[in-house]
Amino acid sequence: MSQPDVIIIGAGIAGASLAWQLAGSCNVLLLEQEDSPSHHSTGRSAAIMTPYAGAELMQAASLASRAFLAAPPEGFSEAPLLSRRGVLRLTDEAGAGSLTRVCHSGQSQGRPLRLLDRAELLAQGLPLMAKAVMGLWDDEPCDIDVDALHQGFLRGAQRRGARMLTRHAVTAMSRRGGVWQVESPAGTFEAPLVVNAAGAFASRIGKLAGALPLTIHPKRRTIAVVPVPTGSDMAHWPLIADTEVSFYIKPEGKTLMVCPSDETPAEAGEVFPEELDIAIAIDRMQQWLDIPVQRVQHSWAGLRSFFDDKDPVAGFDPLAEGLFWYAGQGGFGVQSAPALSRAAAAILLGQPVPQTLGDAGLTHARLSPQRLEPAFT
């Protein structure tokens, strides 16, 4: 096995997409601690593209990724990556004015937004509770085939020569003679460059490397899956939320995903749903929609990981030579992966960021880990 040029720690959507970008010009090795590269956040995504959600740079990367997701390169995926979904945000009388302003602002930017009154919402078969008087419909959001996207990156990277090893948790790191030694229970691997794409575990990897002490904040998000009531056809429904997105529901075949939009601080590792969060999700939904729930079919929780400013980091560490941070996508890693990984690859290779991405704000300086530590700016 030849020595890689780059070791990427973490093979979720962040590490996989960056490997795909780099593999044509570098010998890449992906080290994944779990049995499957989709074990954590990537495999627990709500699988929807909402490009105007998230902090500024996340929005920029998501918007710049739409063209790739709509028309991926030849041979990338056998199935379309996107399918129509839409988002509907409901409001009561008190929030109607605010939602109207949001609609007009978005329309002035060319976004496909429209307001629906209660009668129009009822005409679409929505079982509204009395408080729901208006909705803001956004045609732009789509479902994302997360597995097809993730596997497209992994397969493409491997076709270009990248290798992936699962069950290879990193236990120690050191650097000698310009080369990193990355240790795992399955062996030690060497490369001049290491990418910290470890998601919720990024702070731990940074500490092992003696890097800038950046703190990533993993936050738990809960999903409950409930059966669609007998005789109901909800498959065509959009994702539905209230104005504050204190909950959302999304049809999945003959079930509904129900989420309380929780962001509960958690430790990196396995996370499990709390009964209280499931109850909150169902209660919030039923304040707006008359949907009976007889049972919860199953539930899960995942981690969405943020740096302090909620924007991602993609850049070299100022203390640990040859260590590249690529983390902090905060739940938007799937929809932003094509563009964000392209910018990150350019920075890692010492190349100019493509102008369209730079113009959108995805620059070396704004993505740099040093922005989070004033002492190093």
Side-chain angles (χ1 to χ4, degrees), residues 126-357:
L126 299 180
L128 301 180
M129 299 298 285
K131 66 186 293 187
V133 302
M134 179 187 290
L136 176 63
W137 188 287
D138 183 354
D139 271 330
E140 195 164 22
C142 296
D143 285 349
I144 302 177
D145 188 330
V146 177
D147 183 64
L149 179 65
H150 191 205
Q151 291 301 318
F153 283 131
L154 289 173
R155 285 194 305 267
Q158 289 169 333
R159 282 196 295 266
R160 298 173 184 178
R163 291 168 291 140
M164 179 176 68
L165 299 175
T166 57
R167 297 186 295 275
H168 277 64
V170 173
T171 56
M173 297 174 64
S174 59
R175 187 173 175 86
R176 293 189 296 274
V179 176
W180 282 102
Q181 286 75 45
V182 179
E183 298 179 28
S184 80
T188 298
F189 304 89
E190 296 186 343
L193 299 177
V194 172
V195 175
N196 181 1
F201 303 88
S203 291
R204 182 178 72 82
I205 296 299
K207 186 175 181 180
L208 289 177
L212 196 67
L214 302 185
T215 300
I216 198 162
H217 305 284
K219 297 185 178 182
R220 188 180 70 238
R221 175 146 294 187
T222 303
I223 296 287
V225 178
V226 302
V228 169
T230 302
S232 298
D233 179 13
M234 300 180 179
H236 65 287
W237 283 14
L239 182 148
I240 301 176
D242 59 358
T243 306
E244 293 78 23
V245 196
S246 70
F247 82 97
Y248 68 79
I249 66 170
K250 180 188 171 190
E252 290 284 336
K254 295 183 179 181
T255 64
L256 280 179
M257 290 172 45
V258 188
C259 176
S261 298
D262 48 331
E263 290 189 354
T264 307
E267 296 295 324
E270 291 291 344
V271 289
F272 301 95
E274 299 283 346
E275 291 295 328
L276 177 60
D277 291 327
I278 294 171
I280 289 172
I282 293 170
D283 176 68
R284 289 177 179 174
M285 173 187 72
Q286 291 179 329
Q287 291 178 34
W288 293 94
L289 296 159
D290 184 14
I291 299 176
V293 175
Q294 302 300 324
R295 63 187 176 90
V296 175
Q297 190 165 303
H298 61 96
S299 59
W300 73 85
L303 293 176
R304 305 163 80 242
S305 299
F306 303 86
F307 288 110
D308 288 338
D309 61 4
K310 295 198 171 183
D311 266 324
V313 163
F316 283 103
D317 190 272
L319 299 182
E321 182 185 358
L323 181 77
F324 190 91
W325 289 84
Y326 188 49
Q329 287 86 359
F332 302 106
V334 171
Q335 67 179 34
S336 64
L340 192 58
S341 64
R342 189 178 178 202
I347 295 169
L348 186 145
L349 294 172
Q351 300 172 352
V353 172
Q355 184 174 346
T356 54
L357 300 183

Side-chain angles (χ1 to χ4, degrees), residues 54-58 215 217 306-313 327-328 365-373:
E56 182 182 356
L57 296 184
M58 290 312 316
T215 300
H217 305 284
F306 303 86
F307 288 110
D308 288 338
D309 61 4
K310 295 198 171 183
D311 266 324
V313 163
R366 297 193 67 187
L367 290 169
S368 171
Q370 296 186 57
R371 75 168 194 269
L372 297 171
E373 178 52 65

Side-chain angles (χ1 to χ4, degrees), residues 49-70 109 111-112 138 140-141 332 334-340 356-357 360 362:
M49 180 187 72
T50 51
Y52 289 91
E56 182 182 356
L57 296 184
M58 290 312 316
Q59 289 190 35
S62 298
L63 289 166
S65 295
R66 291 182 300 178
F68 182 105
L69 295 171
Q109 300 169 15
R111 294 178 58 190
D138 183 354
E140 195 164 22
F332 302 106
V334 171
Q335 67 179 34
S336 64
L340 192 58
T356 54
L357 300 183
L362 302 175

